[in-house]
Amino acid sequence: MTLLDQGVYQGVWSAGLRASTNWSTLIDRFDVILSRTAPDLVVLVEADMKTIMNRLRSREDGDTRFAPDSQAFDRGIRGYESLKNRIRSTDTAPASIVIENETREDLSSGVDRIAESIHSIHN
């Protein structure tokens, strides 16, 4: 079993955030790497747009790659959706689950879902 924290998909997203290439082309260029190094499970952590924007604005130390209401923010969201669509629509992609991250309770239930998913992959 391969466990990654911000693994290969995060790497593609990070590269694409600063690139001018459209997301589909960029993901196609990384397809071989993605297929060879993909983990057994991709956990997609989501929150609604308002929550994401509020969290970014509340960072006191400015520790973020992009600010809400910026072109980089919009590109980052498009990139996430492009990667998510690729993961969820390709037969050769790893298993994936979506975990909500609106509240601490969401994360607690998300941990249980992740554990269940890992267990089911290898049983």
Side-chain angles (χ1 to χ4, degrees):
M1 170 174 265
T2 303
L3 294 175
L4 299 172
D5 176 30
Q6 299 184 1
V8 66
Y9 291 98
Q10 174 71 23
V12 170
W13 180 87
S14 292
L17 184 62
R18 302 282 186 240
S20 60
T21 306
N22 74 52
W23 281 103
S24 181
T25 301
L26 185 83
I27 294 168
D28 287 344
R29 287 181 184 168
F30 282 99
D31 190 55
V32 171
I33 294 169
L34 291 171
S35 64
R36 289 184 183 165
T37 60
D40 294 300
L41 175 68
V42 175
V43 178
L44 301 156
V45 181
E46 297 186 347
D48 71 35
M49 199 62 60
K50 184 177 177 181
T51 299
I52 294 167
M53 293 172 90
N54 287 339
R55 287 177 182 167
L56 288 170
R57 285 187 184 111
S58 70
R59 291 184 176 181
E60 294 176 11
D61 59 2
D63 182 25
T64 184
R65 291 186 240 185
F66 52 80
D69 303 319
S70 68
Q71 288 181 348
F73 181 84
D74 294 340
R75 180 161 176 83
I77 297 299
R78 284 192 310 274
Y80 170 78
E81 292 299 332
S82 295
L83 283 165
K84 177 181 171 182
N85 288 338
R86 177 67 63 98
I87 292 165
R88 301 198 97 189
S89 66
T90 305
D91 293 338
T92 58
S96 66
I97 59 172
V98 176
I99 301 299
E100 294 299 320
N101 183 10
E102 292 294 329
T103 66
R104 291 206 181 272
E105 293 79 24
D106 289 339
L107 289 179
S108 293
S109 66
V111 168
D112 293 337
R113 286 193 53 224
I114 294 168
E116 290 169 11
S117 295
I118 291 170
H119 184 72
S120 70
I121 287 171
H122 292 285
N123 285 330

